[in-house]
Amino acid sequence: MRLLGAGGLLLTLTFSLGSCFTERQNEGAQLYTAHCSSCHGDQGQGLERLIPPVAAADYIASNRAELPCIIRKGMQGDIVVNGIHYNQIMPGHEDLTDSQITNLLNFLQTNWGNTNQPYTIRETAELLGRCNGSDGQ
């Protein structure tokens, strides 16, 4: 049996840890495809005046504190996105973990013309702790 030196052990540990995280590398995009794209579009473009876009959406930038609860609890009622009124029910995704919601939000925050600050898991968890009612608002 050959013993690894400190450098070999560090290299082995680095490769092992790297493989742990590669499965989650594109989790936000995968979650968007699985849970959001059927309504908001495969490129976040929305659907005419029925479903708001998430691509280049001012709503995403200006409603940071509410977004985690909207994803978890859903929402209904009139909203304005990029100057257009929308009034459809968005279902919640109670099955998503805090970590998954963070990854989904970070995908939205940094793609399709959105250049917003990413969330931390801690921030998402704190904001989710404030969710009340079933409409995410």
Side-chain angles (χ1 to χ4, degrees):
M1 182 173 160
R2 191 173 134 206
L3 296 176
L4 292 175
L9 181 60
L10 180 60
L11 187 59
T12 301
L13 184 59
T14 301
F15 282 126
S16 296
L17 286 176
S19 66
C20 290
F21 294 106
T22 54
E23 290 178 16
R24 296 188 68 148
Q25 182 176 356
N26 297 315
E27 184 180 45
Q30 293 167 357
L31 289 165
Y32 179 84
T33 298
H35 296 280
C36 311
S37 66
S38 62
C39 293
H40 291 284
D42 61 352
Q43 296 297 308
Q45 73 274 16
L47 179 62
E48 302 282 326
R49 291 182 176 264
L50 295 175
I51 307 291
V54 293
D58 60 358
Y59 192 88
I60 288 178
S62 61
N63 291 278
R64 180 180 183 87
E66 293 82 20
L67 293 178
C69 289
I70 290 171
I71 290 174
R72 172 142 309 147
K73 300 289 188 177
M75 70 180 299
Q76 64 184 38
D78 186 59
I79 64 167
V80 178
V81 179
N82 298 339
I84 299 173
H85 286 265
Y86 296 89
N87 194 352
Q88 296 291 323
I89 295 173
M90 180 181 137
H93 300 285
E94 300 255 357
D95 57 319
L96 297 179
T97 65
D98 293 5
S99 174
Q100 289 173 318
I101 290 174
T102 302
N103 287 332
L104 174 57
L105 285 168
N106 287 341
F107 174 74
L108 294 175
Q109 294 285 34
T110 59
N111 284 281
W112 302 320
N114 297 319
T115 56
N116 305 309
Q117 171 120 11
Y119 288 80
T120 64
I121 292 174
R122 176 177 288 186
E123 178 187 12
T124 301
E126 287 174 6
L127 292 171
L128 287 168
R130 300 178 195 164
C131 294
N132 57 4
S134 60
D135 65 358
Q137 296 182 350

